[in-house]
Coordinates of all heavy atoms in Angstrom, one line a residue:
M1 N 50.2 73.4 15.7 CA 50.8 72.2 15.4 C 52.2 72.3 15.3 O 52.8 73.2 14.7 CB 50.2 71.7 14.0 CG 50.8 70.5 13.5 SD 50.3 69.9 11.9 CE 51.0 71.0 10.9
I2 N 52.9 71.4 16.0 CA 54.4 71.3 16.0 C 54.8 69.9 15.6 O 54.5 69.0 16.3 CB 55.0 71.7 17.3 CG1 54.6 73.1 17.7 CG2 56.5 71.5 17.3 CD1 55.0 73.6 19.0
C3 N 55.5 69.8 14.5 CA 55.9 68.5 14.0 C 57.4 68.2 14.4 O 58.2 69.1 14.1 CB 55.7 68.4 12.5 SG 54.0 68.5 12.0
L4 N 57.6 67.1 14.9 CA 58.9 66.7 15.3 C 59.6 65.9 14.2 O 58.9 65.2 13.4 CB 58.8 65.9 16.6 CG 58.2 66.7 17.8 CD1 58.0 65.7 18.9 CD2 59.0 67.8 18.2
P5 N 60.9 65.8 14.2 CA 61.6 65.0 13.2 C 61.1 63.6 13.2 O 61.0 63.0 12.0 CB 63.1 65.1 13.6 CG 63.2 66.4 14.3 CD 61.9 66.6 15.0
P6 N 60.8 62.9 14.3 CA 60.3 61.5 14.2 C 59.1 61.4 13.3 O 58.8 60.3 12.8 CB 60.1 61.1 15.6 CG 61.0 62.0 16.4 CD 61.0 63.3 15.7
I7 N 58.3 62.4 13.2 CA 57.1 62.3 12.4 C 57.4 62.1 11.0 O 56.8 61.3 10.2 CB 56.2 63.5 12.6 CG1 55.7 63.6 14.0 CG2 55.0 63.6 11.6 CD1 55.0 64.8 14.4
A8 N 58.5 62.7 10.5 CA 59.0 62.5 9.1 C 59.3 61.0 8.9 O 59.2 60.5 7.8 CB 60.2 63.4 8.8
K9 N 59.7 60.3 9.9 CA 60.1 58.9 9.8 C 58.9 58.0 10.2 O 59.1 56.8 10.3 CB 61.3 58.6 10.7 CG 62.5 59.4 10.3 CD 63.6 59.1 11.4 CE 64.8 59.9 11.1 NZ 65.9 59.8 12.1
R10 N 57.8 58.6 10.4 CA 56.6 57.8 10.9 C 56.8 57.1 12.2 O 56.4 56.0 12.4 CB 56.1 56.9 9.8 CG 55.6 57.6 8.6 CD 55.0 56.7 7.5 NE 54.5 57.4 6.5 CZ 53.8 56.9 5.5 NH1 53.6 55.6 5.5 NH2 53.3 57.7 4.6
Q11 N 57.6 57.7 13.1 CA 57.9 57.2 14.4 C 57.4 58.0 15.5 O 57.9 57.8 16.7 CB 59.4 56.9 14.5 CG 60.0 56.0 13.5 CD 61.5 55.9 13.5 OE1 62.2 56.7 14.1 NE2 62.0 54.8 12.9
G12 N 56.6 59.0 15.3 CA 56.2 59.9 16.3 C 54.8 60.4 16.2 O 54.2 60.2 15.1
C13 N 54.4 61.1 17.2 CA 53.0 61.6 17.2 C 53.0 63.1 17.2 O 53.8 63.7 17.9 CB 52.4 61.1 18.5 SG 50.6 61.4 18.6
A14 N 52.1 63.7 16.4 CA 52.1 65.2 16.4 C 51.0 65.7 17.4 O 50.0 65.0 17.7 CB 51.6 65.6 15.0
L15 N 51.2 66.9 17.8 CA 50.3 67.6 18.7 C 49.6 68.6 17.8 O 50.2 69.3 17.0 CB 51.0 68.3 19.9 CG 51.8 67.5 20.8 CD1 52.5 68.4 21.8 CD2 51.0 66.5 21.4
L16 N 48.3 68.7 17.9 CA 47.5 69.6 17.1 C 46.6 70.5 17.9 O 45.8 70.0 18.7 CB 46.6 68.8 16.1 CG 45.8 69.5 15.1 CD1 46.6 70.3 14.2 CD2 45.0 68.5 14.4
Q17 N 46.6 71.8 17.8 CA 45.8 72.7 18.5 C 45.5 73.9 17.6 O 46.5 74.5 17.1 CB 46.5 73.2 19.8 CG 45.6 73.6 20.9 CD 45.0 75.0 20.7 OE1 45.7 75.9 20.2 NE2 43.8 75.2 21.2
P18 N 44.3 74.3 17.3 CA 43.1 73.7 17.8 C 42.7 72.4 17.2 O 43.4 72.0 16.1 CB 42.0 74.7 17.4 CG 42.6 75.4 16.2 CD 44.1 75.4 16.4
P19 N 41.9 71.6 17.8 CA 41.5 70.3 17.2 C 41.0 70.5 15.8 O 40.4 71.6 15.4 CB 40.4 69.8 18.1 CG 40.6 70.5 19.4 CD 41.2 71.8 19.1
A20 N 41.2 69.5 14.9 CA 40.9 69.7 13.5 C 39.4 69.9 13.4 O 39.0 70.6 12.5 CB 41.2 68.3 12.8
S21 N 38.6 69.4 14.2 CA 37.1 69.5 14.1 C 36.7 71.0 14.4 O 35.6 71.5 14.0 CB 36.4 68.6 15.1 OG 36.8 68.9 16.4
K22 N 37.6 71.8 15.1 CA 37.3 73.2 15.4 C 38.1 74.1 14.5 O 38.1 75.3 14.7 CB 37.6 73.4 16.8 CG 36.7 72.6 17.8 CD 37.0 73.0 19.2 CE 36.1 72.2 20.2 NZ 36.4 72.5 21.5
S23 N 38.8 73.7 13.5 CA 39.6 74.6 12.7 C 39.1 74.5 11.3 O 38.3 73.8 10.9 CB 41.1 74.1 12.8 OG 41.3 73.0 11.9
E24 N 39.8 75.4 10.5 CA 39.4 75.5 9.1 C 40.2 74.5 8.3 O 40.2 74.5 7.0 CB 39.5 76.8 8.6 CG 40.8 77.5 9.0 CD 40.8 79.0 8.7 OE1 40.1 79.8 9.4 OE2 41.5 79.4 7.7
H25 N 40.9 73.6 8.9 CA 41.8 72.6 8.2 C 41.5 71.2 8.7 O 42.3 70.5 9.4 CB 43.3 72.9 8.5 CG 43.6 74.3 8.1 ND1 43.7 74.8 6.8 CD2 44.0 75.4 9.0 CE1 44.0 76.0 6.9 NE2 44.2 76.4 8.1
P26 N 40.3 70.7 8.4 CA 39.9 69.3 9.0 C 40.8 68.2 8.4 O 40.8 67.1 9.0 CB 38.5 69.2 8.5 CG 38.4 70.1 7.4 CD 39.3 71.2 7.6
Y27 N 41.5 68.4 7.3 CA 42.3 67.4 6.7 C 43.6 67.1 7.5 O 44.3 66.1 7.3 CB 42.8 67.7 5.3 CG 43.5 69.1 5.3 CD1 44.9 69.1 5.5 CD2 42.8 70.3 5.1 CE1 45.6 70.3 5.4 CE2 43.5 71.5 5.0 CZ 44.8 71.5 5.2 OH 45.5 72.7 5.2
L28 N 44.0 67.9 8.5 CA 45.2 67.8 9.2 C 45.2 66.5 10.1 O 46.2 65.8 10.1 CB 45.4 69.0 10.1 CG 46.0 70.3 9.4 CD1 46.1 71.4 10.4 CD2 47.3 70.0 8.7
K29 N 44.1 66.2 10.8 CA 44.2 65.0 11.7 C 44.3 63.7 10.8 O 45.2 62.9 11.2 CB 42.9 64.9 12.5 CG 42.9 63.7 13.4 CD 42.1 63.8 14.6 CE 42.0 62.6 15.4 NZ 43.2 61.7 15.6
P30 N 43.6 63.5 9.8 CA 43.8 62.3 9.0 C 45.2 62.2 8.4 O 45.9 61.1 8.4 CB 42.8 62.3 7.9 CG 41.7 63.2 8.4 CD 42.4 64.2 9.3
M31 N 45.8 63.3 8.0 CA 47.1 63.3 7.5 C 48.2 63.0 8.6 O 49.0 62.2 8.3 CB 47.5 64.8 6.9 CG 48.9 64.8 6.3 SD 49.3 66.5 5.7 CE 49.5 67.3 7.3
L32 N 48.0 63.6 9.7 CA 49.0 63.3 10.8 C 48.8 62.0 11.4 O 49.8 61.3 11.8 CB 48.8 64.4 11.9 CG 49.2 65.8 11.5 CD1 48.8 66.8 12.5 CD2 50.8 65.9 11.2
D33 N 47.6 61.5 11.4 CA 47.3 60.1 11.8 C 48.1 59.1 10.9 O 48.6 58.1 11.4 CB 45.8 59.7 11.8 CG 45.1 60.2 13.1 OD1 45.8 60.5 14.1 OD2 43.9 60.4 13.0
A34 N 48.1 59.4 9.6 CA 48.8 58.5 8.6 C 50.3 58.6 8.8 O 51.0 57.7 8.4 CB 48.4 58.9 7.2
L35 N 50.8 59.6 9.4 CA 52.2 59.8 9.6 C 52.7 59.3 10.9 O 53.9 59.4 11.2 CB 52.6 61.3 9.5 CG 52.5 61.9 8.1 CD1 52.7 63.4 8.1 CD2 53.4 61.2 7.1
G36 N 51.8 58.8 11.8 CA 52.3 58.2 13.0 C 51.4 58.5 14.2 O 51.5 58.0 15.3
G37 N 50.4 59.4 14.0 CA 49.5 59.6 15.1 C 49.3 61.2 15.4 O 50.2 61.9 14.9
C38 N 48.3 61.5 16.0 CA 47.9 62.9 16.3 C 47.2 63.0 17.6 O 46.2 62.2 17.8 CB 47.0 63.4 15.1 SG 46.6 65.1 15.4
V39 N 47.6 63.8 18.4 CA 46.8 64.1 19.7 C 46.3 65.6 19.5 O 47.0 66.5 19.3 CB 47.8 64.1 20.9 CG1 47.1 64.5 22.2 CG2 48.4 62.7 21.1
E40 N 45.0 65.6 19.6 CA 44.4 66.9 19.5 C 44.2 67.6 20.8 O 43.7 67.0 21.8 CB 42.9 66.8 18.8 CG 43.0 66.3 17.4 CD 41.6 66.2 16.8 OE1 40.9 65.3 17.1 OE2 41.2 67.2 16.0
C41 N 44.8 68.8 21.0 CA 44.8 69.5 22.3 C 43.6 70.4 22.3 O 43.5 71.3 21.4 CB 46.1 70.2 22.4 SG 47.5 69.2 22.4
A42 N 42.8 70.3 23.3 CA 41.6 71.1 23.4 C 41.9 72.6 23.6 O 41.1 73.5 23.2 CB 40.7 70.6 24.5
N43 N 43.0 73.0 24.3 CA 43.4 74.4 24.5 C 44.9 74.5 24.6 O 45.6 73.5 24.6 CB 42.7 74.9 25.8 CG 43.0 74.0 27.0 OD1 44.1 73.7 27.3 ND2 41.9 73.6 27.7
D44 N 45.3 75.7 24.8 CA 46.7 76.0 24.9 C 47.4 75.4 26.1 O 48.6 75.1 26.1 CB 47.0 77.5 24.8 CG 46.7 78.2 23.5 OD1 46.8 77.4 22.5 OD2 46.4 79.4 23.4
D45 N 46.7 75.4 27.2 CA 47.3 74.8 28.4 C 47.6 73.4 28.3 O 48.7 72.9 28.7 CB 46.3 74.9 29.6 CG 46.1 76.4 30.0 OD1 47.0 77.2 29.7 OD2 45.0 76.7 30.6
I46 N 46.8 72.6 27.6 CA 47.0 71.2 27.4 C 48.2 71.1 26.4 O 49.1 70.2 26.6 CB 45.8 70.5 26.9 CG1 44.7 70.4 27.9 CG2 46.1 69.0 26.4 CD1 43.4 69.9 27.5
M47 N 48.2 71.9 25.3 CA 49.3 71.9 24.4 C 50.6 72.2 25.0 O 51.6 71.4 24.9 CB 49.0 72.9 23.3 CG 50.1 73.0 22.2 SD 49.9 71.8 21.0 CE 51.0 72.4 19.7
S48 N 50.7 73.2 25.9 CA 51.9 73.5 26.7 C 52.3 72.3 27.5 O 53.5 72.1 27.6 CB 51.7 74.8 27.4 OG 51.5 75.9 26.6
A49 N 51.4 71.7 28.2 CA 51.8 70.6 29.1 C 52.3 69.5 28.3 O 53.3 68.8 28.8 CB 50.5 70.2 29.9
L50 N 51.8 69.2 27.2 CA 52.3 68.1 26.4 C 53.6 68.4 25.7 O 54.5 67.5 25.4 CB 51.3 67.7 25.3 CG 50.1 67.0 25.9 CD1 49.0 66.8 24.8 CD2 50.4 65.7 26.5
M51 N 53.9 69.7 25.4 CA 55.1 70.1 24.8 C 56.3 70.0 25.8 O 57.5 69.8 25.3 CB 55.0 71.5 24.3 CG 54.2 71.6 23.0 SD 53.9 73.3 22.5 CE 55.6 73.9 22.3
A52 N 56.1 70.2 27.1 CA 57.2 70.2 28.0 C 58.1 68.9 27.9 O 59.3 69.0 27.8 CB 56.7 70.5 29.4
P53 N 57.4 67.8 28.1 CA 58.3 66.5 28.0 C 58.9 66.3 26.6 O 60.0 65.9 26.5 CB 57.3 65.4 28.4 CG 56.0 66.0 28.5 CD 56.0 67.5 28.4
T54 N 58.2 66.8 25.6 CA 58.7 66.7 24.3 C 60.0 67.5 24.1 O 61.0 67.1 23.4 CB 57.7 67.2 23.2 OG1 56.5 66.5 23.3 CG2 58.2 67.1 21.8
C55 N 60.1 68.7 24.7 CA 61.3 69.5 24.6 C 62.5 68.9 25.4 O 63.6 69.2 25.1 CB 61.0 70.9 25.2 SG 59.8 71.8 24.2
L56 N 62.2 68.0 26.3 CA 63.3 67.4 27.0 C 63.9 66.1 26.4 O 64.9 65.6 26.7 CB 62.7 67.0 28.4 CG 62.3 68.1 29.3 CD1 61.6 67.6 30.6 CD2 63.5 69.0 29.7
M57 N 63.1 65.6 25.4 CA 63.6 64.4 24.7 C 64.9 64.6 23.9 O 65.7 63.7 24.0 CB 62.5 63.9 23.8 CG 61.3 63.3 24.6 SD 59.8 62.8 23.6 CE 60.3 62.7 22.0
G58 N 65.0 65.6 23.2 CA 66.2 65.9 22.4 C 67.5 65.9 23.3 O 68.5 65.1 23.0
P59 N 67.5 66.7 24.3 CA 68.7 66.7 25.2 C 69.0 65.3 25.8 O 70.1 64.9 26.0 CB 68.4 67.8 26.2 CG 67.5 68.7 25.6 CD 66.6 67.8 24.6
M60 N 67.9 64.7 26.2 CA 68.1 63.3 26.9 C 68.7 62.3 25.9 O 69.7 61.7 26.3 CB 66.7 62.9 27.4 CG 66.8 61.5 28.0 SD 65.2 60.8 28.5 CE 64.7 60.2 26.8
Y61 N 68.2 62.3 24.7 CA 68.8 61.4 23.8 C 70.2 61.8 23.4 O 71.1 60.9 23.1 CB 67.9 61.2 22.6 CG 66.7 60.3 22.9 CD1 65.4 60.9 22.7 CD2 66.8 59.0 23.3 CE1 64.3 60.2 23.0 CE2 65.7 58.3 23.6 CZ 64.4 58.9 23.4 OH 63.3 58.1 23.8
G62 N 70.5 63.1 23.3 CA 71.9 63.6 23.1 C 72.8 63.1 24.1 O 74.0 62.7 23.8
I63 N 72.4 63.2 25.4 CA 73.3 62.8 26.5 C 73.5 61.3 26.4 O 74.6 60.8 26.6 CB 72.6 63.2 27.9 CG1 72.7 64.7 28.0 CG2 73.3 62.5 29.0 CD1 71.8 65.3 29.1
M64 N 72.5 60.5 26.1 CA 72.6 59.1 26.1 C 73.6 58.7 24.9 O 74.5 57.8 25.1 CB 71.3 58.4 25.8 CG 70.4 58.5 27.0 SD 68.7 57.9 26.8 CE 69.0 56.2 26.2
M65 N 73.5 59.4 23.8 CA 74.4 59.1 22.7 C 75.9 59.4 23.0 O 76.7 58.7 22.7 CB 73.9 59.8 21.4 CG 74.7 59.5 20.2 SD 74.1 60.4 18.7 CE 74.6 62.1 19.1
N66 N 76.0 60.6 23.6 CA 77.4 61.0 24.0 C 78.0 60.0 25.0 O 79.2 59.7 25.0 CB 77.4 62.4 24.6 CG 77.3 63.5 23.5 OD1 77.6 63.2 22.3 ND2 76.8 64.6 23.8
N67 N 77.2 59.5 26.0 CA 77.6 58.6 27.0 C 78.0 57.2 26.3 O 79.0 56.6 26.6 CB 76.6 58.3 28.0 CG 76.5 59.4 29.1 OD1 77.4 60.2 29.2 ND2 75.4 59.5 29.7
R68 N 77.1 56.9 25.4 CA 77.4 55.6 24.6 C 78.8 55.7 23.9 O 79.6 54.8 24.0 CB 76.3 55.3 23.6 CG 76.6 54.1 22.8 CD 75.8 54.1 21.5 NE 76.2 55.2 20.6 CZ 75.5 55.7 19.6 NH1 74.3 55.2 19.4 NH2 75.9 56.7 18.9
D69 N 79.0 56.8 23.2 CA 80.2 57.0 22.4 C 81.4 57.1 23.4 O 82.5 56.5 23.1 CB 80.1 58.2 21.5 CG 79.1 58.1 20.4 OD1 78.6 57.0 20.2 OD2 78.7 59.1 19.9
W70 N 81.3 57.8 24.4 CA 82.4 57.9 25.4 C 82.7 56.6 26.0 O 83.9 56.2 26.1 CB 82.0 58.9 26.5 CG 83.0 59.1 27.6 CD1 84.2 59.7 27.5 CD2 82.9 58.7 28.9 NE1 84.8 59.7 28.7 CE2 84.0 59.1 29.6 CE3 81.8 58.0 29.6 CZ2 84.2 58.8 31.0 CZ3 82.0 57.8 31.0 CH2 83.2 58.2 31.6
L71 N 81.7 55.8 26.4 CA 82.0 54.5 27.0 C 82.6 53.6 26.0 O 83.5 52.8 26.3 CB 80.7 53.9 27.5 CG 80.1 54.5 28.8 CD1 78.7 54.0 29.1 CD2 81.1 54.2 30.0
G72 N 82.2 53.7 24.7 CA 82.8 52.9 23.7 C 84.3 53.1 23.5 O 85.0 52.2 23.2
E73 N 84.7 54.4 23.7 CA 86.1 54.8 23.6 C 86.9 54.2 24.8 O 88.1 53.9 24.7 CB 86.2 56.3 23.5 CG 85.7 56.9 22.2 CD 85.7 58.4 22.3 OE1 86.2 59.0 23.3 OE2 85.2 59.0 21.4
L74 N 86.3 54.1 25.9 CA 87.0 53.7 27.1 C 87.0 52.2 27.3 O 88.0 51.7 28.0 CB 86.3 54.3 28.4 CG 86.3 55.8 28.6 CD1 85.5 56.2 29.8 CD2 87.8 56.3 28.7
L75 N 86.1 51.5 26.8 CA 86.0 50.0 27.0 C 87.2 49.3 26.3 O 87.5 49.6 25.2 CB 84.7 49.5 26.6 CG 83.5 50.1 27.4 CD1 82.2 49.6 26.8 CD2 83.6 49.7 28.8
I76 N 87.7 48.4 27.0 CA 88.9 47.6 26.4 C 88.4 46.3 25.9 O 88.8 45.9 24.8 CB 90.0 47.4 27.6 CG1 90.5 48.8 28.0 CG2 91.1 46.5 27.1 CD1 91.3 48.7 29.2
S77 N 87.6 45.6 26.6 CA 87.2 44.2 26.2 C 86.2 44.3 25.1 O 85.2 45.0 25.2 CB 86.6 43.5 27.5 OG 85.9 42.4 27.1
P78 N 86.5 43.5 24.0 CA 85.4 43.5 22.9 C 84.1 43.0 23.4 O 83.1 43.6 23.0 CB 86.0 42.6 21.9 CG 87.5 42.6 22.3 CD 87.7 42.8 23.7
S79 N 84.1 42.1 24.3 CA 82.7 41.6 24.8 C 82.0 42.6 25.6 O 80.8 42.8 25.5 CB 82.9 40.3 25.6 OG 83.7 40.6 26.8
C80 N 82.7 43.4 26.4 CA 82.1 44.5 27.1 C 81.6 45.6 26.2 O 80.6 46.2 26.3 CB 83.1 45.1 28.1 SG 82.4 46.2 29.3
D81 N 82.4 45.9 25.1 CA 82.0 46.9 24.1 C 80.7 46.4 23.4 O 79.8 47.2 23.2 CB 83.1 47.1 23.1 CG 82.8 48.2 22.1 OD1 82.5 49.3 22.6 OD2 82.9 48.0 20.9
I82 N 80.6 45.2 23.1 CA 79.5 44.6 22.4 C 78.2 44.8 23.4 O 77.1 45.1 22.9 CB 79.6 43.2 22.0 CG1 80.7 43.1 20.8 CG2 78.3 42.5 21.6 CD1 81.1 41.7 20.5
F83 N 78.4 44.5 24.6 CA 77.4 44.6 25.6 C 76.8 46.1 25.6 O 75.6 46.3 25.5 CB 77.8 44.2 27.0 CG 76.8 44.3 28.0 CD1 75.7 43.5 28.2 CD2 76.9 45.5 28.9 CE1 74.8 43.7 29.1 CE2 75.9 45.7 29.9 CZ 74.9 44.8 30.0
W84 N 77.7 47.0 25.8 CA 77.3 48.4 26.0 C 76.7 48.9 24.6 O 75.6 49.6 24.7 CB 78.4 49.3 26.4 CG 78.6 49.2 27.8 CD1 79.7 48.5 28.5 CD2 77.8 49.8 28.9 NE1 79.5 48.7 29.9 CE2 78.4 49.5 30.1 CE3 76.7 50.5 28.9 CZ2 77.9 49.8 31.3 CZ3 76.1 50.9 30.1 CH2 76.7 50.6 31.3
R85 N 77.3 48.7 23.5 CA 76.8 49.3 22.3 C 75.6 48.5 21.8 O 74.7 49.1 21.2 CB 77.9 49.2 21.2 CG 79.0 50.3 21.5 CD 80.1 50.2 20.4 NE 81.1 51.1 20.7 CZ 81.2 52.3 20.2 NH1 80.3 52.8 19.3 NH2 82.2 53.1 20.5
G86 N 75.6 47.2 21.9 CA 74.5 46.4 21.3 C 73.3 46.2 22.2 O 72.2 46.0 21.6
I87 N 73.4 46.2 23.5 CA 72.3 45.9 24.3 C 71.8 47.1 25.1 O 70.6 47.5 25.1 CB 72.6 44.7 25.3 CG1 72.9 43.5 24.5 CG2 71.5 44.5 26.2 CD1 73.5 42.4 25.3
V88 N 72.7 47.7 25.8 CA 72.3 48.8 26.7 C 72.1 50.2 26.0 O 71.1 50.8 26.3 CB 73.4 49.0 27.8 CG1 73.0 50.1 28.8 CG2 73.4 47.6 28.7
L89 N 73.0 50.5 25.2 CA 72.9 51.9 24.6 C 72.7 51.9 23.1 O 73.4 52.7 22.4 CB 74.2 52.6 25.0 CG 74.4 52.8 26.5 CD1 75.8 53.3 26.8 CD2 73.4 53.7 27.1
T90 N 71.8 51.1 22.6 CA 71.6 51.1 21.1 C 70.8 52.4 20.7 O 70.1 52.9 21.5 CB 70.8 49.9 20.7 OG1 69.6 49.8 21.4 CG2 71.6 48.6 20.9
D91 N 70.9 52.8 19.5 CA 70.2 53.9 18.9 C 68.7 53.7 18.9 O 68.3 52.7 18.6 CB 70.7 54.3 17.5 CG 72.1 54.8 17.6 OD1 72.6 55.3 18.6 OD2 72.8 54.8 16.5

């Protein structure tokens, strides 16, 4: 089981391997479901496949945030700044 920061905010889904029904901790799935969801992985291959895109999310959002901030520093027009910050590149 690998819990991501969004799970603490109830905005993300946890991956669980082995499935709760096959482990000695059956309480994990209901607990994780209450925190935002849980995907039970039948084996390590499935867990690894699901972890790969998860590992890419942090850098992707970091790049987007840096681009938003950089564009905010460059933009001159207040209306253009509102467009970029409020519509296109919101947190």
Side-chain angles (χ1 to χ4, degrees):
M1 176 181 73
I2 297 178
C3 292
L4 302 172
I7 294 171
K9 299 176 184 177
R10 295 184 175 186
Q11 298 174 342
C13 185
L15 303 175
L16 181 62
Q17 205 284 327
S21 60
K22 296 181 180 178
S23 79
E24 42 189 79
H25 307 291
Y27 57 86
L28 285 176
K29 180 158 175 36
M31 180 186 73
L32 294 170
D33 281 338
L35 292 174
C38 176
V39 174
E40 294 182 284
C41 304
N43 56 50
D44 287 336
D45 291 337
I46 294 171
M47 177 81 165
S48 294
L50 291 172
M51 285 176 58
T54 301
C55 294
L56 297 172
M57 289 174 13
M60 181 187 75
Y61 287 118
I63 290 168
M64 289 173 60
M65 184 177 69
N66 287 335
N67 285 340
R68 178 202 62 201
D69 295 343
W70 177 70
L71 287 169
E73 293 171 7
L74 294 177
L75 298 174
I76 297 169
S77 164
S79 62
C80 191
D81 186 51
I82 290 170
F83 175 77
W84 279 105
R85 290 180 181 262
I87 298 172
V88 175
L89 300 170
T90 57
D91 291 338

